[in-house]
Amino acid sequence: MPSLKSRIIARDECFGLFCSIPSAVALEQVAAAGYDFVIIDLEHTLISPEQVETMILAAHGAQLAVLVRVPPQTPHLVVQLLDAGVAGIVFARIDDAQQAQQAVELCHYAPLGQRGLNATRASRYGMGGLTEATRRAATETLVVIMVESRQGLDNIESIAPTEGVDVVLEGAADLSQSLDLTWQTSHPQVQAAVERVCVATQTAGKAFCAIPRELDDMQRWRGKRVSLFVIGDDRGVMRRAHLAHLSAHKE
């Protein structure tokens, strides 16, 4: 099965979902629905390490690629999550090229980074060949950064070309707040900022990941050669499904 990173490089359309519900069953249902990847969200949840590991194992069992979003200033989580077998890390609130470089160094072994060596799940705890596991990590580990602030927007042309950064994921919600337009993600100023991030990312030869908030957004992003999408959060999908289900029966 091709890695998520190889599919992104090949410009396959890939659809993902933020996962905030700490449940193996919920992840299995996401996989059964046909999503290509999930992003377990540790920035806005209280999901415990034990719950995260269960979610990772469930995703692996369902052949679903799993990324994890980590809060700012939590470098200790990165190596633990990668050693547990995630496909990559999503770094929230990257504001400059130095922070982007630090993200790369946390995720990769030498010479690109400084990740510590260990026998991990990826190498079957040493039984699968440590050298081969290290080589595979170099080609398959995804480094995803989010640009979510006015400072990040001002620095995007220097952030995006950072060697080792694979994907830039938009952060229109926090960006709207930074632009004094809180939650006005469709405001022309916010949309222009997100498109600037997209252009800088693609100019640097990296993949841009969009978060379409309306169905009409899909064609707009496809017209801009975007093929990587995060299309919601599992809690929101569940909420809308429950409301629609109940409403249909009440009618």
Side-chain angles (χ1 to χ4, degrees):
M1 182 177 179
S3 69
L4 178 61
K5 185 169 180 173
S6 68
R7 294 188 62 200
I8 291 171
I9 292 171
R11 295 178 55 80
D12 292 348
E13 270 202 346
C14 295
F15 294 90
L17 194 68
F18 279 114
C19 281
S20 303
I21 301 172
S23 164
V25 173
L27 268 175
E28 288 173 334
Q29 291 190 354
V30 170
Y35 287 88
D36 300 292
F37 67 97
V38 293
I39 302 174
I40 298 173
D41 188 7
L42 298 187
E43 184 184 14
H44 295 288
T45 68
L46 290 173
I47 300 175
S48 71
E50 293 80 8
Q51 290 171 319
V52 172
E53 184 153 42
T54 298
M55 295 169 77
I56 292 168
L57 290 169
H60 284 181
Q63 295 188 311
L64 177 68
V66 58
L67 309 173
V68 179
R69 175 163 68 175
V70 296
Q73 288 81 51
T74 55
H76 64 285
L77 291 176
V78 174
V79 68
Q80 296 171 0
L81 291 164
L82 290 170
D83 284 355
V86 303
I89 303 294
V90 179
F91 292 87
R93 304 191 184 195
I94 296 296
D95 291 330
D96 56 44
Q98 182 179 1
Q99 291 178 355
Q101 180 61 42
Q102 289 170 344
V104 172
E105 291 177 356
L106 287 168
C107 288
H108 280 286
Y109 299 113
L112 191 56
Q114 301 175 5
R115 177 181 169 188
L117 293 167
N118 204 336
T120 70
R121 182 171 286 136
S123 66
R124 296 178 60 233
Y125 306 101
M127 295 177 65
L130 295 175
T131 302
E132 170 59 20
T134 304
R135 183 203 63 76
R136 191 166 60 251
T139 60
E140 295 184 357
T141 300
L142 273 166
V143 179
V144 183
I145 62 172
M146 297 190 71
V147 174
E148 307 178 86
S149 69
R150 188 188 296 268
Q151 182 182 355
L153 179 65
D154 290 342
N155 291 324
I156 185 58
E157 284 78 13
S158 62
I159 292 173
T162 302
E163 183 182 5
V165 167
D166 301 297
V167 177
V168 178
L169 170 60
E170 64 146 295
D174 279 343
L175 188 53
S176 73
Q177 178 172 244
S178 186
L179 297 173
D180 299 320
L181 295 163
T182 301
W183 277 123
Q184 299 179 56
T185 55
S186 60
H187 190 284
Q189 189 177 341
V190 178
Q191 288 297 305
V194 172
E195 291 199 15
R196 176 180 170 186
V197 174
C198 176
V199 169
T201 300
Q202 292 179 333
T203 299
K206 310 299 177 70
F208 177 77
C209 184
I211 304 178
R213 288 169 171 80
E214 303 291 341
L215 287 177
D216 290 347
D217 292 339
M218 287 299 304
Q219 288 307 113
R220 177 169 63 87
W221 284 123
R222 283 174 170 142
K224 297 179 184 298
R225 299 179 295 111
V226 174
S227 56
L228 184 61
F229 305 97
V230 174
I231 54 174
D233 175 274
D234 56 0
R235 295 172 302 184
V237 173
M238 179 181 287
R239 173 178 55 82
R240 288 188 293 273
H242 281 312
L243 287 171
H245 182 71
L246 179 60
S247 177
H249 285 78
K250 282 185 175 181
E251 290 173 5

